[in-house]
Amino acid sequence: MRAPANMAALTGALIARGDAYLALPAYGAEGAEWAQAALARLLLSNARLKLVFAALPFAPPAFLALLAGEDRPAILQRIVRNPATSGATLLRLARQMDDAATRAALAAHAHTPSVALIGLAMNADAAVRAALLRNAGTPALALHALLDHADAAERAALARHPQADADLLRTLLAGGDAVVRAEAVAHPHCPLTQVADACVDADAAIRRRAASNPVLPPSLRQALMGDSDPAVRAEALRLHAEGQDVALTDDGDVRVRRAQARHVAVPEDLAEVLSRDGDVWVRVWLARNPALPAGLIQRLGGDAEARVRHAAGRNPACPADMLATLARDGDEWVRAAVACRPDLPTEALRALEREDGEDVASAVARNPQTREAALRRLARHGQADVRRAVALNPDAPAAALRLLLDDPYPLNRAFAVRHPNLPVADAWGCADDGAPQVRFAVGKRAVTHAAAAGRAARRHLETFPQP
Amino acid sequence: MKILVPVKRVASLDDEFELRDDGRDVDPDFCEFDLNEFDEYALEAAVQIKEAAPEGSVEVVVLTIGPDDADDVLRKALAKGADRAIRVDDAGLEEADRVAIARVIAKVAENEEPGLVLCGAQSADQGNAQTGMSVAALLGWTRAAVVSKLDFAPGAATAQVERELEGGLVECLDVETPAVLTIQLGINTPRYASLRSIKQANAKPIECLTPHDVGLSDAEIGAAGALSRVRRVFVPERGRGEIIAGTPSQQAARLLEIISEVNG
């Protein structure tokens, strides 16, 4: 079945089919403006669909703006909570709805414009205050407005809010509450003098939080790395930047050793010691460390603990011969770790292509180097997760993806339809699929394709104007 | 031999919903409808019996009672291996309860003369678990409820079933046929219908009957045939509950306050 060649033909076909799920992606699409009224009639034809689409996070924002003209409160509530709703639609709804649930939903929405968030903060009940404190986009001005009546938990939330400014943090620090101070000194906007004071505070929890401040100056971080409290040392080390000249020394505390094992600047002699550590997690973190010398990755790839070998297999710096060794490991989870790697030596990948176990088969199915014949076999695997992995393979050939169009599991069909290597004509052949999510995916694919074709045609006309 | 599988189009509610104006059910605008999960297991059990028998010797007939929209669940059942589908239109059945519905199923069973009737143990939306047993009572057939294992050769005089009881006990029964069995979740792994079989199912006819067609009189259908009536559906007021927010120390402090309040 040929897919409509351009947006006009596609939009006409979508309207003629009368399927709202298939047509939904076209609403507001570039080139489909002429058919908005007909699309609107189709999309708004059913009370149930209006409720479903109002809550659908993939609904086009333009359609949600249209739906916001409905007067059923249940629909409007869903639009206010829909993450795809635009700021302009939210503002419009804010003006016409003033119930407590709507105010709280607006306060929590990532797209609510700052001006509306500030307005909400001026007269906020407990639910709105909580929503504003959870919303990472709440501006500093709104946070200041919340400070006046904030209880202890809210002050702590204010101190950790990403938009909290230095003035707000200074005020919060002056309050003296230890929990609030701990949050404030960890904040990247906290005044440096206050952070420096925190680094020598008698309370280890305050020092530890200061150590977690991402903009802590190197000299202060260096000092905290020698702290008497191991949790402070581990935290200071965690954010210690690569290239800073700080010696990492053997430490008796396992938390510090785990932080050392993860560090990209772990010295080779220390890494050598850590590779023999009795704590499995120290070895796991070390095996994952991409800065580790090949020799040590080799050693950890032979560790008695499968988790450590698995970590070595996932290390981007794992040498090819070690990858090949791990591909023959007795533990399936370890083999799966290397089976998805595009840099796995060809011979090892060919051996893994013959495996049927779910973990290895899923990993092979995702590997861009897997052969077409193997992918076609895996596209018929008994486990739905393995078949879906084929659809998630960025280089999956059309021949394998076509097999997934007959997959009994609708999600797998939807993934196959979305795959750019599946010709649009094949995707369009699923326009009658019984599962709404598949038909939506077909509509989306066809609309995206037609819009791109339209843009290409316009570019061509601009480059080669017609006489 | 036939196996009759009565299936229900059940409603699953949206996270938030509204009740109908008469307060006796949920507004259907807030419901997603699908084949009852318990019935999927019953259907799979029937299809497995068919597949294990010589070809053509077993016919799986699915039955539902409902409006045109309920054809969707019949088509799904056809796509999963049922051979024939019957829908009894629910016009005139508005006030039907489980027993009134069972009267319809029993009449269809009398007409079709199946060796087995396999029902889901209960419906996912209302959970009464009464329809299957009411069918058996109306037919006067042997019955077994909440069956977790079924072994039956078409034409045999008995079926071997297992039922899970309290305390981890398993009851093994020989059940004379014809029989009505209600099937528990987990007895098998229901198959997904392939896209090809879905398309084929869409082309199959659905036999549409009225309650009168199956032999029911006016006195047996709808409210007249029901033994119960829904007076009201409502969401009870929530009991006291509090989500304790804040840091662990703040939460602990609030917890102590609550304990002190409770202890007086």
Side-chain angles (χ1 to χ4, degrees):
Chain A
M1 193 188 308
R2 279 180 65 86
N6 56 55
M7 189 61 88
L10 173 64
T11 315
L14 294 173
I15 292 166
R17 282 176 168 270
D19 177 358
Y21 281 97
L22 189 64
L24 180 60
Y27 194 88
E30 191 182 346
E33 297 84 356
W34 65 276
Q36 295 296 72
L39 282 169
R41 277 195 298 280
L42 171 61
L43 299 174
L44 302 177
S45 61
N46 178 310
R48 169 69 188 151
L49 281 180
K50 288 181 201 174
L51 283 162
V52 171
F53 289 166
L56 196 67
F58 307 110
F63 175 69
L64 293 172
L66 172 76
L67 203 52
E70 295 283 317
D71 52 12
R72 192 171 187 176
I75 293 176
L76 303 182
Q77 285 287 353
R78 289 175 185 215
I79 294 172
V80 172
R81 285 197 295 267
N82 189 326
T85 303
S86 69
T89 304
L90 291 169
L91 263 185
R92 201 174 112 209
L93 291 171
R95 290 192 199 103
Q96 70 187 73
M97 300 169 73
D98 196 32
D99 60 287
T102 300
R103 288 169 60 80
L106 283 165
H109 203 294
H111 296 164
T112 303
S114 291
V115 63
L117 293 172
I118 292 166
L120 286 163
M122 296 303 167
N123 183 24
D125 61 20
V128 171
R129 294 173 70 86
L132 286 168
L133 289 170
R134 281 198 308 271
N135 188 337
T138 301
L141 202 54
L143 299 177
H144 278 276
L146 295 176
L147 180 61
D148 283 347
H149 303 290
D151 61 22
E154 288 177 335
R155 285 199 298 276
L158 281 168
R160 79 175 79 95
H161 195 283
Q163 306 298 332
D165 60 19
D167 283 344
L168 180 64
L169 293 167
R170 208 175 279 118
T171 309
L172 288 164
L173 280 166
D177 181 283
V179 174
V180 176
R181 283 176 60 218
E183 295 293 348
V185 298
H187 201 292
H189 298 162
C190 187
L192 191 54
T193 51
Q194 314 270 21
V195 181
D197 289 347
C199 289
V200 291
D201 198 282
D203 185 346
I206 300 282
R207 300 200 303 278
R208 182 170 56 81
R209 295 297 287 145
S212 71
N213 191 315
V215 296
L216 188 69
S219 57
L220 291 177
R221 188 171 299 281
Q222 173 104 50
L224 289 175
M225 285 169 64
D227 197 280
S228 58
D229 188 286
V232 176
R233 297 200 300 276
E235 193 60 45
L237 188 57
R238 194 173 63 83
L239 291 177
H240 170 59
E242 183 183 7
Q244 287 182 16
D245 187 21
V246 176
L248 293 163
T249 52
D250 194 8
D251 196 294
D253 189 273
V254 72
R255 283 166 294 184
V256 178
R257 298 202 306 278
R258 287 179 187 174
Q260 288 172 333
R262 300 170 70 167
H263 202 282
V264 288
V266 59
E268 195 167 341
D269 54 349
L270 178 60
E272 171 75 29
V273 174
L274 293 173
S275 71
R276 302 175 201 280
D277 201 286
D279 181 75
V280 172
W281 280 103
V282 168
R283 304 201 306 278
V284 166
W285 283 116
L286 190 68
R288 283 184 199 171
N289 193 328
L292 211 59
L296 277 178
I297 298 177
Q298 299 263 19
R299 174 186 297 169
L300 291 162
D303 196 283
E305 185 69 45
R307 281 177 292 175
V308 179
R309 302 198 302 278
H310 174 90
R314 299 303 300 268
N315 192 324
C318 188
D321 57 342
M322 191 66 221
L323 289 175
T325 302
L326 291 171
R328 296 189 300 272
D329 196 282
D331 187 294
E332 182 177 8
W333 184 232
V334 176
R335 298 198 301 280
V338 297
C340 60
R341 293 186 59 139
D343 56 347
L344 182 64
T346 304
E347 198 177 320
L349 178 58
R350 298 296 170 251
L352 291 175
E353 283 175 357
R354 291 191 286 272
E355 289 205 28
D356 259 344
E358 193 172 350
D359 291 332
V360 171
S362 294
V364 168
R366 281 199 308 273
N367 193 323
Q369 301 301 325
T370 301
R371 288 176 298 184
E372 178 179 318
L375 288 174
R376 289 174 63 179
R377 187 179 64 80
L378 293 169
R380 295 194 192 93
H381 196 276
Q383 292 289 336
D385 289 345
V386 176
R387 302 195 301 271
R388 186 163 54 253
V390 175
L392 294 172
N393 185 326
D395 289 351
L401 294 167
R402 282 192 188 102
L403 294 172
L404 293 172
L405 298 181
D406 197 29
D407 195 289
Y409 194 48
L411 188 63
N412 289 1
R413 301 202 296 274
F415 273 109
V417 161
R418 286 182 209 163
H419 202 294
N421 289 356
L422 182 79
V424 178
D426 290 291
W428 184 251
C430 299
D432 292 324
D433 194 287
Q437 70 263 45
V438 179
R439 300 200 303 279
F440 178 83
V442 172
K444 181 90 180 165
R445 183 80 199 280
V447 165
T448 306
H449 176 76
R455 283 193 296 274
R458 281 194 297 279
R459 273 199 305 274
H460 181 80
L461 276 177
E462 285 162 13
T463 313
F464 307 104
Q466 302 298 304
Chain B
M1 193 206 96
K2 291 180 191 172
I3 301 175
L4 181 66
V5 183
V7 297
K8 185 181 178 189
R9 174 179 175 256
V10 293
S12 58
L13 302 186
D14 291 351
D15 291 342
E16 290 176 4
F17 54 86
E18 293 173 4
L19 294 175
R20 269 182 354 206
D21 290 343
D22 67 2
R24 294 176 59 203
D25 206 345
V26 176
D27 183 335
D29 286 351
F30 293 85
C31 298
E32 200 66 57
F33 293 98
D34 203 354
L35 176 59
N36 179 32
E37 187 185 7
F38 289 84
D39 298 343
E40 299 218 34
Y41 288 85
L43 175 65
E44 179 65 31
V47 173
Q48 286 185 7
I49 290 170
K50 180 182 82 166
E51 289 174 344
E55 195 170 344
S57 62
V58 175
E59 182 183 35
V60 176
V61 181
V62 283
L63 161 70
T64 197
I65 297 149
D68 294 356
D69 292 348
D71 282 354
D72 288 348
V73 298
L74 291 177
R75 296 208 182 281
K76 191 170 183 181
L78 288 168
K80 286 172 175 249
D83 300 296
R84 192 154 65 83
I86 301 171
R87 177 170 62 82
V88 178
D89 197 274
D90 67 349
L93 296 177
E94 289 84 5
E95 299 291 325
D97 70 350
R98 283 75 66 189
V99 174
I101 294 295
R103 289 185 206 284
V104 181
I105 298 170
K107 278 291 178 192
V108 173
E110 281 177 11
N111 299 339
E112 294 287 334
E113 298 180 341
L116 280 179
V117 177
L118 300 184
C119 304
Q122 63 183 69
S123 63
D125 54 355
Q126 294 186 318
N128 289 298
Q130 290 177 8
T131 307
M133 290 301 98
S134 301
V135 170
L138 288 163
L139 290 168
W141 289 4
T142 331
R143 73 212 65 175
V146 200
V147 169
S148 54
K149 189 175 176 190
L150 169 61
D151 190 3
F152 175 67
T158 59
Q160 286 72 51
V161 306
E162 287 184 9
R163 302 172 62 239
E164 288 174 6
L165 307 179
E166 290 297 313
L169 283 172
V170 173
E171 182 184 54
C172 301
L173 295 169
D174 284 342
V175 178
E176 286 184 17
T177 58
V180 180
L181 309 178
T182 68
I183 304 296
Q184 175 64 304
L185 299 179
I187 190 174
N188 51 43
T189 304
R191 67 195 68 191
Y192 280 101
S194 71
L195 195 57
R196 184 173 294 122
S197 61
I198 290 168
K199 286 177 177 170
Q200 287 168 347
N202 286 340
K204 286 188 178 175
I206 288 173
E207 197 176 338
C208 189
L209 305 171
T210 67
H212 292 123
D213 291 338
V214 300
L216 287 166
S217 67
D218 287 341
E220 295 171 297
I221 61 175
L227 300 182
S228 61
R229 177 179 179 275
V230 177
R231 285 168 49 218
R232 180 184 168 218
V233 170
F234 68 103
V235 179
E237 280 187 26
R238 285 185 182 176
R240 285 183 68 189
E242 177 182 337
I243 295 173
I244 302 174
T247 62
S249 60
Q250 290 163 342
Q251 290 175 353
R254 177 60 192 141
L255 200 55
L256 278 175
E257 276 179 24
I258 293 170
I259 292 167
S260 304
E261 284 170 20
V262 171
N263 291 341

